[in-house]
Amino acid sequence: MTHFRSRPVRTPAASLAASLAACGALAGALPPAAAPSHHITLRLEPAEGRLEGVDHMALPPGRRGPLALQLMQGLQVQSVSAAGRALPFTREGDALRLAPPAGAPSLEVRWSGRLAGQAPPRVAAEGTWLPGEAAWYPRLGEADRVRVDVLTPPGQQAALTGALREVDSTPAGTRTVFEAYAGEPPTLLAGPWQCEGRTHRGLRLRACFHAEVAQLAGAYLDDAARHLDRYAAQLGPYAYAGFDMLSGPDPVGLGYPGLTYVSRAILPLPFMRARSLPHEVLHGWWGNGVRVRPGSGNWAEALTTYQSDYALSGAEAQERMRREWLQDFAALAPAADMPLSAFVTKTHARDQVVGYGKGAFVFHMLERQLGQAAFDAGLKRFYAAHRLGDAGWRELQSAFESAGGQRLDGFFPQWLQRASAPALALQGVDWREDGVTLRLAQTQQGAPYALRVPVEITTGDGARETHLLALEGARTRADIATRARPVALQVDAHADVFRRLAAGERAATLRDVLLLESARTVLVNAEGDAGAAALALAGQLVAQAGEPVAAGAWERTQPALAVGVGTPA
């Protein structure tokens, strides 16, 4: 493993404006066959909230007639030219319309603007964020090949969803060159970062953090390298040229192809390196390395949760996590429930209950049914077949069927297409005259699921036996032979089946309130700074509650979160 850092180059210092012109000349000199669709030189002025860009754009071969480009409102076009001649153009919203001369191989577009707001897209001293879905450069299409030379002033560094090719620093600033990854418009980020990096097995890893958390860079790089090795061995080669870990001022944790962007406030917290970092690294395989096919349901968050947050925990912690997923589902209002195939993205904690928790639980049950070897082989097969492409639940099912040698038409539809969960109950438990055969009836409420339910039996000699009971209909009778007289039994003792918790299996939790759409916020002595902080917290926890009400106006039959100092009278 070798290390690299950005080093000042031994050349005379040049201004950023001169660098911009020089980079533009370099783009024009590239051989047409090797040139990307766009060669962009972008100058950021974070202190002023401004950007300035030049795009040398190769036109599609055989193009005829007018051309429509996309450039977000708020950015002004200074000029458009072809072969050194200015071209007229019109703007209508995001659309930039022009008519290049016949046979023109390329265009040059110059634009600039001020994006100084709090929300992205923005250019700001504490953190620039230009999302890929915002047309911050004149876009031709989703499949554009893009090279970006980013020029930042002293103290600022840049990152992009692409392969890092060069980093040159001078007293006048830094020039960082990227080639954007195919298949997704590039997202650009920048900040007052201290960047530490290394090359690991041919991958360029960087930790670019604000000064107050820069001391964490080494540990994050160590962990990222370890997780990349683990998932490459389990699943197949990593799909990107490197992995960047970036701190930002926003209260977010986001995964992009080849990088993760995380609030600097949470980087020091223990859960970040223990669970969140491997989760974001694994998105390089699930969600980015293999993208979720639109309209097929988001399988990637569930699989990433299962193979990172869950798989990296010990056996006791895994059982506790499964019980928490069941607790969360029990607190979910029926109106907020949905089939797993309907989950697209998390907009509220209610969505996470199904898309992350239930989804990860389904993968746990699938692994128990197939066995670990077949489960792992199915994931490798799925990744190899769809790397850098789109796939859905159907392709996952096919990969697991091939690896496991069994049809899964009974397993996937019931867990993907149905909302809710099975509710199990025991009836008529007794034992036969031989004293060692337990007879029971296992029932399901509603339309039955096909289940494999573990039954744990304690015998008179203190031993514990686990028997797997196959349930197919609304009522299943079974005789279970034990080595000694049975004295106690427990169905699904270790929470291995996604189901409705029975009475007595769950205690009331705060999440019971937070997941209810009818929950209100009740003020209790909420004055001064402490009250303002409590109200801000309540607004995040119970975002759907509307305006808070005073304790005296609270209808006590309505679920509520009390905020303030003291307790309601």
Side-chain angles (χ1 to χ4, degrees), residues 487-504:
V487 296
L489 70 86
Q490 187 175 359
V491 175
D492 194 24
H494 301 288
D496 288 307
V497 179
F498 191 79
R499 57 186 172 81
R500 291 282 181 189
L501 292 175

Side-chain angles (χ1 to χ4, degrees), residues 10 35 47 53 72 76 110 215 340 342 448 470:
R10 297 180 181 273
M72 63 176 288
Q76 295 78 45
R110 292 180 176 266
Q215 75 279 5
L340 187 53

Side-chain angles (χ1 to χ4, degrees), residues 417-479:
Q417 306 303 330
R418 295 177 61 177
S420 192
L424 308 180
L426 276 175
Q427 291 182 352
V429 179
D430 59 14
W431 55 84
R432 294 176 56 180
E433 293 181 359
D434 60 12
V436 293
T437 302
L438 187 69
R439 175 170 291 172
L440 57 86
Q442 179 76 63
T443 66
Q444 298 187 59
Q445 299 175 12
Y449 287 71
L451 302 174
R452 295 155 59 91
V453 181
V455 178
E456 186 174 283
I457 299 171
T458 305
T459 58
D461 58 4
R464 290 187 178 180
E465 303 177 10
T466 299
H467 300 262
L468 202 59
L469 186 62
L471 306 187
E472 297 291 342
R475 180 181 177 88
T476 301
R477 295 190 59 84
D479 288 348

